[in-house]
Amino acid sequence: MDKDEIHLRRLPAAAPWGPHADSEFHGVDFLPGDLNEAPEETGMRVNKKYSCLPAEEKGIHIINIRAIEDIGYDQHESTLLNSLSKNPDADCKYGLYFRDGKRKVDYILVYHYKKSSAGKTLTRRVHHNDSSARSTKQDQPLPGKGVQLEMRESEPHVDYHEDDKRFRREEYEGNLVEAGLELERDEDTKIHGVGFVKIHAPWNVLCREAEFLKLKMPTKKMYQINQTHGLLKKINSVIQKITEPIQPKVAEHKPQTVKRLSYPFSREKQHLFDLSDRDSFFDSKTRSTIVYEILKRTTCTKAKYSMGITSLLANGVYSAAYPLHDGDYEGENVEPNDRKLLCEEWASYGVFYKYQPIDLVRKYFGEKIGLYFAWLGVYTQMLIPASIVGIIVFLYGCATVDENIPSMEMCDQRNNITMCPLCDRTCSYWKMSSACATARASHLFDNPATVFFSVFMALWAATFMEHWKRKQMRLNYRWDLTGFEEEEDHPRAEYEAKVLEKSLRKEHKQKETDKEKLTWKDRFPAYLTNFVGIIFMVGLTFAIVFGVIIYRISTAAALAISSTPSGRSSVRVTVTATAVIINLVVIIILDEVYGCIARWLTQIEVPKTDKNFEERLIFKAFLLKFVNAYTPIFYVAFFKGRFVGRPGDYVYIFHSFRMEECAPGGCLMELCIQLSIIMLGKQLIQNNLFEIGIPKMKKFIRYMKLKRRRSLDHEEHMKKKQRYEVDYNLEPFAGLTPEYMEMIIQFGFVTLFVASFPLAPLFALLNNIIEIRLDAKKFVTELRRPVAVRAKDIGIWYNILRGIGKLAVIINAFVISFTSDFIPRLVYLYMYSENGTMHGFVNHTLSSFNVSDFQAGTAPNDPMDLGYEVQICRYKDYREPPWSENKYDISKDFWAVLAARLAFVIVFQNLVMFMSDFVDWIIPDIPKDISQQIHKEKVLMVEVFMREEQGKLQMLETWKDNDKKKGENCNNHSPRLPRSRSGSLSSCHSYPLDV
């Protein structure tokens, strides 16, 4: 027999739930109002032993229970005997439920404690005693605390810090109990020195918080979703049949014809909602969100300053806080759950060709993570047409390479064009035909089709953004987020601590921290540090790129001294490849460094809310990583070969190193090599090493540490782990910023320099197919379950995407006009060509130099290397010949080409921007059918409330009519009674009220 039930059975059967002045059960009048409203729930609340009530609300019951315990009655032995007959862990589904097997665990708090030698048996007693899960006062928040007091008395040494942490935990847990949550502690785990507090939110708390959070919940009202008719219906049915093999086999992904009307939850209007199954009305995602909101709101104030859950985690009072996964995802006899289904239909490389079950992802992880994967899916789908067009452009270059007249002229041995040396003294004259391979390869990426592809990709970016906005609206409608507005979040713990510190510094006695806030003056040192830090980091990136340039120049000069002909011929390829690899390694290392620096710079700013913190962190991290990833590419695209000078008057660095020149075919080929190696290397290394290798290494290290600390008790070792123990060994969720950042940088590679690398969308597509399943596997199997966060869009990332799309138009215009030879070819074709063909173009772009004009000490050491004496050498530039009056001055051709280039930039930029804005304008942000459904929902909701009001009025009128009839009947049937009229009426009127 349970101890609490002894006293509860003494209650008289007809005792009302009101105050009893003379009764010994005077504490009953503090029971929540739910018992007055729902007497049928009394039995359920009794079985839970008032675990949601604070101790002072239980009155005499707690005193009597303690008295019985003092007498010596104890049920631990009987519980232990009963546990031999059946496995208690199986009853609670190995940690998914409380010990009673009925109350679901919604959240877990983890803490470290020092375990004494006598603590093993004592903690087991705590463990069994926790099955009662009754609430106590703040000095005893959870059952079993008295055992810990006995242990402390026997301990000779008291750790002040441990006592302080224990004190804060007890106060905080007591406040959680006062907030209505039910707690149960478990220290009898396989992890030595780690305790777990299981949290359960009862029904009344869920209802209260759902109303506070304005959660939209499905009502009983269902309505038909508008279906397409005629030709569109046939087309949709054909598409569904074709795509059926690539649809995930989950119930949430099937097309729905009906939808439940949703409305913000209200306890006064519970009759509107379908509460037939209360256990599943609030799913696990919603329950954990509600508990997390209570955890953030609850504080412990008896310490030096108020501390919420974030401060308690930061100060080590608790070591972790997380919701539980739904169960195991692999193994024999695993019960079906959403996690297992996600693992099979989403987080598996074998289903890479299938659509994502986005609705199930949202149901399990929440809207914010669901939107990320939905965006990643839309982006990957949109890369398919871009990849196809890029492949066509590349194949066009391959097909026309033999018809390209400029490259044919460069490869023609009969032209006998002698080029000037590439470096001073050690380099000799060389034949242009030796650069034949480079010229032919350049045509693959530098042809008229690349201009078309640049325009196409600019329009593709605009279409992608519009398509995502429409998809986002569809998801908002499907996930009942229409009308959702993010409210002001709770201030961060660091912000509150700073405000308190500021208020304590003031001399006046009023220390009302609520009125204090951090101003720009308080943050000025942090802003100054941010500005100086970011400038320093950008300068560091430029310095590293400059160092790589020095490496390229010095290595090229060193390799040119090589006596072997093969060494001299492969100088450019060797220098380019090694320099790009160095750039890649530096970029990957600095990416990690800049991520940590951006977080530190954001922390010293002390943003007020988590949303402000995230937005500022994203801006800083993106700025630093953008500069880090694209600075080497910008150098090759716009600066290399621009400030070289000319033979006899070269530009030198440190008076010894000559600035490097572009290849005879232009810098576009080198830009393509640089872009492809950095893009592919960054994706492969970050995906394979950082996203797969490092988490597995961390997991292995954590497993080895726990194995080393684990007790040698064979029985404990063989015991199956509880769910919260397994989840504790998983990696904590660190936010979506790294995932978004990786994709945004890739989006820049795909759009910014796509004129030089048409295959970039294809490589991005192949990477993303793997990335989706890799991220899915990480979320389902490697990470603790994150707290579900409501969101209706992807936030600041959308603005960054739009900014990159606009910047891509400008950069591609400059790449086409200044980096490629597209504009010089057009100018030659329409202004200088004698027969309207490209014959003579190469000779037109080369200027002449008299070798006698070399500066002293810069002429080649071996002028007879080609077997004949050279008097005139050629170099790529538009300058006057040596026999001209203004020899080596810039020619008129240079200015004509420059004017054409600038004109092309202006025309291309404005035309493409206009076309992008036109696409943006012509495609509506909200699909027509979705706007109709939203309007239909509003109309139906108004009808529901109107019917409800009409029903209330009719019921009220019926009561009034019945009241009148009863009054008339009383008057007609009792005329002879000597009582007064008012007395008879009052007695008659009381009758329907009693009924």
Side-chain angles (χ1 to χ4, degrees), residues 139-157:
D139 61 341
Q140 189 178 354
L142 289 180
K145 197 261 179 184
V147 179
Q148 292 182 5
L149 282 174
E150 294 171 8
M151 289 166 53
R152 278 200 299 242
E153 289 172 1
S154 62
E155 290 177 1
H157 176 69

Side-chain angles (χ1 to χ4, degrees), residues 4 60 75 101 120 249 365-366 383 438 494 523 622 670 675 788 972 982:
D4 291 349
I60 197 69
Q75 63 172 2
K120 188 174 180 181
K249 297 177 181 177
F365 291 110
L383 283 172
T438 308
E494 293 83 355
R523 291 194 174 105
F622 173 73
E670 190 172 341
L675 188 67
N972 293 334
S982 59

Side-chain angles (χ1 to χ4, degrees), residues 635-735:
Y635 164 73
V636 174
F638 302 122
F639 296 99
K640 186 178 179 182
R642 307 290 171 195
F643 312 102
V644 178
R646 62 170 179 81
D649 187 21
Y650 284 113
V651 176
Y652 291 91
I653 302 175
F654 305 132
H655 304 287
S656 56
F657 296 112
R658 227 173 77 182
M659 288 293 292
E660 53 183 346
E661 303 176 42
C662 288
C667 278
L668 198 69
M669 186 62 199
E670 190 172 341
L671 176 62
C672 174
I673 294 171
Q674 183 109 1
L675 188 67
S676 58
I677 291 179
I678 290 178
M679 179 181 176
L680 296 177
K682 201 168 181 297
Q683 289 180 349
L684 290 174
I685 292 175
Q686 283 191 333
N687 281 356
N688 295 324
L689 181 62
F690 293 165
E691 294 199 17
I692 299 177
I694 291 179
K696 287 191 178 297
M697 191 187 305
K698 286 182 178 179
K699 188 177 180 182
F700 177 74
I701 293 171
R702 202 159 46 242
Y703 170 75
M704 293 303 294
K705 283 182 179 178
L706 291 172
K707 192 176 181 181
R708 195 178 300 118
R709 290 163 50 189
R710 191 173 292 158
S711 173
L712 298 176
D713 187 356
H714 180 70
E715 179 187 351
E716 186 177 349
H717 180 73
M718 295 301 294
K719 186 175 66 174
K720 184 178 177 181
K721 277 189 176 182
Q722 302 290 327
R723 177 77 265 151
Y724 41 86
E725 294 178 75
V726 177
D727 287 2
Y728 178 67
N729 293 331
L730 299 177
E731 190 74 14
F733 175 64

